Amino acid sequence: MVRLYAAVAAGGFRRYATYRVATVAGAFTNTVFGFIVAYTYIALWDERPHLGGYDQPEALTYVWLGQALLMACAMLGGGFEDELMERIRTGDIAIDLYRPADLQLWWLAGDLGRSAFHLLGRGIVPLLIGALAFDLALPPSPLLWPAFLVSVALGVVVSFAVRYLVALSAFWLMDGAGVLQITWLAGMFFSGMLLPLTLFPGALGELALVLPWSALLQVPADVFLGRRTGWALVEAYAFQAGWAVALLGAGRLLQSLATRRVVVQGG
């Protein structure tokens, strides 16, 4: 079965690799937005140095990490969820549920392949250009790079688990598009894509830091910037893994309820 899901992941990678023009256009768009946000941050940090605990190079690094991870962690959607919801709407999901492969693992494997491609195809170029154009706070130790990639991988799984739950809501809703859009907005806001979560005031900041979306960007960015080392790095991984397990478990439960619904209706 491991070989099956590995093949599904590889298929997901190849699927998105066929859209070469779209990939180039996406990398260009990420780069342009990176420059816009970077200069906004420069103006903000000139007025308020060390805002949110970051100096200006760290803040600029945060900007370009956000552009690199935007599609990899699907903070604005663009993954499997539309396709899964359409299969639920048309009833094709019944075929998927009767296959000898686990539905959740199947879509997870495909999404991991998608994420890996976007990290390479749309993540590296903006980050490199940002490093050439600005004074970024790159990791002083080579060990931070693999630590960062582990955090990114955990963030991708958390992102998948959230979107899987939303997609399965289509079993009970006539149209899950509204729930999906709300989830995208929450992801943009609470992942730290707009501003680092350390800038959020009071209770809102405390809440934002414990929500699952912070695992998508805020936590990987802090690992990259060397703010999570030693025991703090273990805590960061535990936070991301905890949300991944909890959300995947919730998805598994919802999937079981959906399967019973399909069986009852089919009977």
Side-chain angles (χ1 to χ4, degrees):
M1 293 299 288
V2 174
R3 292 178 61 184
L4 170 63
Y5 298 121
V8 173
F13 186 98
R14 289 194 301 270
R15 174 184 178 182
Y16 285 89
T18 59
Y19 302 105
R20 298 173 186 173
V21 175
T23 299
V24 173
F28 175 77
T29 302
N30 287 135
T31 302
V32 170
F33 274 97
F35 274 99
I36 294 172
V37 178
Y39 281 113
T40 303
Y41 272 42
I42 288 174
L44 184 58
W45 259 259
D46 281 343
E47 292 295 323
R48 297 283 301 275
H50 300 288
L51 185 63
Y54 298 103
D55 58 26
Q56 191 174 98
E58 289 175 330
L60 291 173
T61 304
Y62 187 97
V63 170
W64 290 102
L65 286 174
Q67 294 304 315
L69 298 180
L70 178 62
M71 287 302 295
C73 290
M75 284 177 258
L76 278 176
F80 67 93
E81 52 271 23
D82 288 327
E83 182 180 353
L84 179 53
M85 292 174 78
E86 179 64 15
R87 293 187 68 81
I88 294 173
R89 188 187 67 81
T90 60
D92 292 340
I93 192 67
I95 300 173
D96 301 335
L97 290 171
Y98 283 109
R99 285 174 179 167
D102 182 78
L103 184 70
Q104 187 183 60
L105 291 178
W106 178 279
W107 288 100
L108 173 59
D111 199 57
L112 290 176
R114 176 207 59 81
S115 177
F117 173 76
H118 281 310
L119 186 62
L120 295 173
R122 290 186 57 172
I124 292 178
V125 171
L127 187 59
L128 285 176
I129 293 176
L132 292 173
F134 300 95
D135 179 22
L136 301 188
L138 299 178
S141 169
L143 294 178
L144 284 178
W145 288 95
F148 166 69
L149 291 177
V150 170
S151 184
V152 169
L154 289 171
V156 169
V157 176
V158 172
S159 172
F160 164 82
V162 171
R163 290 176 288 126
Y164 188 72
L165 279 171
V166 173
L168 290 184
S169 70
F171 275 106
W172 292 271
L173 301 175
M174 293 296 293
D175 184 3
V179 178
L180 201 56
Q181 290 174 359
I182 292 173
T183 304
W184 293 344
L185 290 173
M188 279 291 291
F189 188 76
F190 288 112
S191 66
M193 188 66 201
L194 300 177
L195 283 171
L197 300 182
T198 54
L199 271 65
F200 288 20
L204 178 61
E206 295 176 2
L207 173 64
L209 287 171
V210 299
L211 290 175
W213 291 286
S214 66
L216 277 57
L217 173 57
Q218 183 68 57
V219 174
D222 282 342
V223 172
F224 186 88
L225 292 170
R227 292 172 168 267
R228 301 281 193 137
T229 58
W231 183 249
L233 179 60
V234 175
E235 290 179 335
Y237 288 162
F239 171 79
Q240 291 178 293
W243 269 118
V245 170
L247 292 170
L248 288 174
R252 176 81 48 189
L253 176 60
L254 206 60
Q255 175 182 314
S256 177
L257 294 174
T259 302
R260 292 179 185 177
R261 182 184 180 91
V262 171
V263 170
V264 169
Q265 290 180 347

